[in-house]
Structure formats: C-alpha cells, structure tokens
Amino acid sequence: MALLISMPVVLGFLLLVLVGAYIIRKRTSSSHINQADAINTTNEDEDPILLDEDVDLPSFGLEIIANATDNFSSTNKIGEGGFGTVYKGVLTTGQEIAVKRLSKDSGQGLTEFKNEVILISKLQHRNLVRLLGCCIHREDRMLIYEYMPNRSLDLYIFNQTRSTAVDWQKRFDIIVGIARGLLYLHRDSRLRIIHRDLKASNILLDSEMNPKISDFGLARIFGGDQTQVNTKRVVGTYGYMSPEYAIDGHFSMKSDVFSFGVVVLEIVSGMKNRGFDHPDHDLNLLGHAWKLWNEGRPMELADALLENVPASEVLRCIQVGLLCVQKRPEERPLMSSVLYMLDSDNASLPQPKQPGFYVERVHKETDSSSSLNISYTSTDLTVTTLHGR
Ligand SMILES: Nc1ncnc2c1ncn2[C@@H]1O[C@H](COP(=O)(O)OP(=O)(O)OP(=O)(O)O)[C@@H](O)[C@H]1O
C-alpha cells in the first residue's frame, strides 16, 4: 500500500529532475550558440570570448627561451607594449625569435595572452605574423614569434631618417599587404576576426619589408551572421579607434576599416594621426587630409621625403584612406572593396564624406549622438575605457 502511494511521488520527482536537467542543458548549449553562431548584434560580457578547446601549439621550456635571449638581457630588449616586454632571441638552431613576455602585474595581460594563443594559432597568412609557440613556467607566460628583422612600421614612417628607406612603391605594397591581411581576418580565414587594435606599431616588417599584422591580444571572433558587438570595455589605441567604438563601444569589421584608414593616411603622409600639429588649424591628421581634399590640393598630404611619386596612385590611397575613416560606419567600404579600389587604376571611387574624430588639439571632441565626451590624453598608450560607469 505504502509502495502504491509513494510511486507517483517518486515518478513526479524523477520527472522534475529530468525537466531540470533539460533546462540546464538547454541554457548551457545556447550560450555556446551565442559565441559560435551568434546573432547579428550581441552585447559582449566584460570578459572577452575565449574558446574552450585545445590549442595545438609548440611549448618551449623556460631554459630554452632564457638561453635564446641571453637571460632576458636589456640588450636583447626590443620593445615594450601593453602586454609586457619584447626580447629578441636566437635558438640553438640559429632561428631568430621575438619573445613577448607577459608582465607579471598585468591582470589584463593574462586574458590577452590566452586570446592571442588561441586565435593566432588558428590563422595562417603571409600578411600575419607567425606564432611559433609559447612558454608557460609557473607565473611566467611568453609568446614566441618569428623575428621580424625590420621591426614595426611606426619605426620607419614616423622617423625622418629611416622613412627614406621606404619609397612610394614599398609604401604602396605595405598598404596592399595590410589590406590583404585584414581581408583574410574579416572574410577568408575559417573564423571571422575583428582585430580591434590595428595601428602602425602592430604592423611588423620582414626582411623584404612585407607587412605582417601582429598583436591579436584584443582580437575577437565573430560567428555566423554576426556583424557587430557592443562592449562596455573599450580597449584600443587613441588615434586609431573609430568614433562608434570609442564612444558607444560598438566594434565591427567597420571599426577595423577605420583603423586601417588611419594607417593608410599615416603611411602616405609620414605623420602620426595623434599628436599631429599644424600651425594653421586644430585638426588632427584625418582633419588635415579632409581639409586638403576639400580644397583640391590632396597631394600636399604626401610625405615631403617621397620623390617621383605616381600622383594617381597616391591620390587613390588618400581617397581610400578618407573613405575608410568616414564618420558613419555604414559609409565605410568593406576590405574587399578597399582591395578592389587599391588594385584598379581606373575604378571610379566614391567621394569621401566627413571623417570621424578629426579634431585633435582642442583635446576634447563631443559627439552629438552621445552624452559622452571623449577626452584625449597626451600619451599614445593603449586605453581601456569602461562605459556606463
Ligand atoms: N615578432 C617581432 N619581431 C620584431 N620586433 C617585434 C616583434 N614583435 C614585436 N616587436 C617589437 O616590439 C615592439 C612592442 O611590441 P608590442 O606588440 O608588445 O607592443 P606595441 O604594439 O608597441 O604596443 P601595445 O601593446 O600597446 O599595442 C613593437 O613595436 C616592435 O617594434
């Protein structure tokens, strides 16, 4: 009798457990869908998307890397970034490497480290820097890259002495190479990747001055038909960030296109967007280029150190650069169109409209569509801004 009474109770309990398990499973799997097949626009959590899967990447022992870099000696130090210090090293095989050592007090860096390892180990393109492996030893984390003998683009184009080493043909090839690398990230790789920190110091140059996009610590994977992510944590570098990203935290392929446009105008002019100084106005490089364009004298933007430049090619690059930095993301071209425009002599290009963020020296630019003022600092550091705080 007692058994007969308790039977429905037991069955009911079992049913509850099953329904509960189903709901939990459904929730878990839909959070995966958000990452992989995501919807058109998503809100990004404070933490970046990290794929939970094994990465097939060689691991170097600390001893090997310490030997290669002369125990991380200051003479082997070649750079310093938001992530930590970069050292040059030589393996016993004679192969030259660049070692990025995550600084220990960089809480941000650990997430970026994982992100970079996971992302770049899946990518392969002649215009992307190659990650050879990583080294994890206790608290120490390092990324091992192929060494780029000509270091980064900023060291050439913003340096009067060195910039003569990059004539117009080289600069044009570098622009096209960066565009190809970015198109691969946006469209042609197995994943759709938004770099988020494209800038001159993240373009490395090999022995033949071929450009390689580097620094994937801030990059994000988009899935399915996803075109935009909204984040509260804006990370990037002032001078290269698009208005909709810097102000509203919206990033997309079009925010990378904006950064690409800034790089193009910097390559053509040999001047930095941020910190640009002109006696006649308060505009930054984008504003200056836009002003010259409207006044019908765009060729004045070209680096004075360049000789015998093919005017039509330079003009095309300036026009493409201005199209990429247009204020409204929907007006900016996709990287496929950018490459088409760069490649074709006689394609008729659209007229560029007003760029985003084109005032510099007033140190403050207000966007009417947002209640937020963007205040520039005087440093060129990578920034992290929390919106809505
Ligand atoms: N693979 C490499 N080969 C040669 N030089 C490199 C390599 N990777 C980085 N460097 C040098 O080290 C410098 C610092 O690189 P890193 O990517 O850490 O910082 P960054 O891009 O300058 O700044 P941030 O981290 O703020 O974006 C680069 O500008 C470049 O000159």
Side-chain angles (χ1 to χ4, degrees):
M1 186 64 186
L3 191 69
L4 273 180
I5 293 168
S6 61
M7 215 33 187
V9 178
V10 171
L11 281 175
F13 177 73
L14 271 175
L15 194 67
L16 261 176
V17 169
L18 283 173
V19 169
Y22 176 76
I23 290 171
I24 289 168
R25 203 178 130 73
K26 187 99 179 126
R27 283 205 176 152
T28 319
S29 62
S30 64
S31 74
H32 283 285
I33 289 167
N34 273 347
Q35 288 183 12
D37 315 27
I39 46 168
N40 224 21
T41 297
T42 56
N43 283 306
E44 193 195 39
D45 287 335
E46 301 264 313
D47 286 330
I49 297 165
L50 290 175
L51 297 183
D52 183 19
E53 56 189 84
D54 286 338
V55 177
D56 187 15
L57 188 70
S59 173
F60 290 81
L62 179 65
E63 206 179 322
I64 293 175
I65 302 304
N67 279 339
T69 57
D70 196 13
N71 215 4
F72 306 101
S73 74
S74 54
T75 44
N76 283 47
K77 184 174 160 178
I78 52 174
E80 185 95 52
F83 179 99
T85 311
V86 185
Y87 298 88
K88 183 187 173 181
V90 186
L91 296 174
T92 46
T93 56
Q95 182 175 15
E96 292 183 320
I97 54 171
V99 179
K100 259 192 187 186
R101 189 181 202 186
L102 173 65
S103 91
K104 289 199 176 98
D105 45 36
S106 162
Q108 169 74 39
L110 181 57
T111 328
E112 288 176 13
F113 175 87
K114 288 187 197 157
N115 201 48
E116 183 140 9
V117 169
I118 291 163
L119 250 165
I120 201 168
S121 62
K122 291 173 188 299
L123 305 173
Q124 212 166 9
H125 187 272
R126 66 190 301 265
N127 296 114
L128 300 189
V129 71
R130 211 156 68 84
L131 184 66
L132 302 173
C134 63
C135 170
I136 300 175
H137 181 83
R138 297 203 182 123
E139 301 290 283
D140 241 333
R141 280 164 176 79
M142 287 164 247
L143 293 167
I144 322 297
Y145 292 93
E146 56 178 340
Y147 177 72
M148 292 290 128
N150 283 312
R151 313 271 303 278
S152 46
L153 181 61
D154 57 321
L155 303 178
Y156 283 87
I157 55 169
F158 304 138
N159 178 306
Q160 292 250 324
T161 333
R162 283 186 179 167
S163 62
T164 48
V166 271
D167 61 11
W168 174 254
Q169 189 52 51
K170 242 343 68 329
R171 292 190 199 205
F172 185 71
D173 292 346
I174 288 171
I175 291 172
V176 172
I178 303 168
R180 289 200 179 120
L182 203 51
L183 178 62
Y184 170 80
L185 291 180
H186 286 181
R187 196 194 67 183
D188 296 338
S189 73
R190 290 183 290 146
L191 312 158
R192 184 183 303 161
I193 290 152
I194 312 302
H195 187 283
R196 292 212 294 176
D197 200 20
L198 194 73
K199 56 181 173 179
S201 67
N202 282 344
I203 307 298
L204 301 178
L205 300 165
D206 72 7
S207 56
E208 285 154 19
M209 302 295 273
N210 296 310
K212 315 256 182 183
I213 300 174
S214 75
D215 227 336
F216 288 79
L218 305 179
R220 289 291 169 273
I221 301 169
F222 276 17
D225 60 350
Q226 188 179 25
T227 55
Q228 181 182 295
V229 164
N230 306 325
T231 184
K232 284 184 178 166
R233 188 170 153 265
V234 173
V235 282
T237 305
Y238 281 145
Y240 293 92
M241 277 195 281
S242 67
E244 75 281 2
Y245 180 41
I247 295 172
D248 298 319
H250 297 169
F251 68 86
S252 65
M253 286 188 283
K254 296 299 184 79
S255 45
D256 273 357
V257 169
F258 184 94
S259 312
F260 171 80
V262 177
V263 173
V264 170
L265 295 173
E266 290 186 332
I267 293 175
V268 172
S269 65
M271 287 180 280
K272 277 187 182 184
N273 184 33
R274 253 186 76 65
F276 178 83
D277 193 14
H278 197 282
D280 299 340
H281 57 66
D282 280 337
L283 305 171
N284 62 15
L285 178 65
L286 308 189
H288 182 60
W290 171 240
K291 185 174 186 296
L292 292 176
W293 181 265
N294 285 326
E295 291 171 358
R297 44 195 189 109
M299 280 305 284
E300 287 179 31
L301 187 74
D303 192 338
L305 295 170
L306 288 170
E307 287 167 358
N308 304 321
V309 290
S312 65
E313 215 166 72
V314 175
L315 279 176
R316 209 160 0 113
C317 286
I318 295 173
Q319 192 163 357
V320 167
L322 282 170
L323 286 168
C324 292
V325 298
Q326 291 176 107
K327 182 176 178 180
R328 292 164 59 88
E330 57 277 17
E331 315 251 36
R332 295 174 211 146
L334 289 168
M335 287 315 295
S336 48
S337 310
V338 166
L339 263 168
Y340 173 75
M341 291 190 276
L342 290 172
D343 271 347
S344 42
D345 286 346
N346 44 16
S348 98
L349 273 48
Q351 279 306 309
K353 299 193 180 117
Q354 185 191 310
F357 285 163
Y358 63 95
V359 179
E360 170 76 10
R361 281 191 305 157
V362 284
H363 290 284
K364 210 170 233 190
E365 185 176 324
T366 312
D367 189 288
S368 55
S369 64
S370 162
S371 58
L372 238 146
N373 282 349
I374 293 294
S375 302
Y376 295 107
T377 62
S378 57
T379 63
D380 197 22
L381 293 173
T382 298
V383 292
T384 301
T385 313
L386 287 174
H387 286 301
R389 297 268 162 122

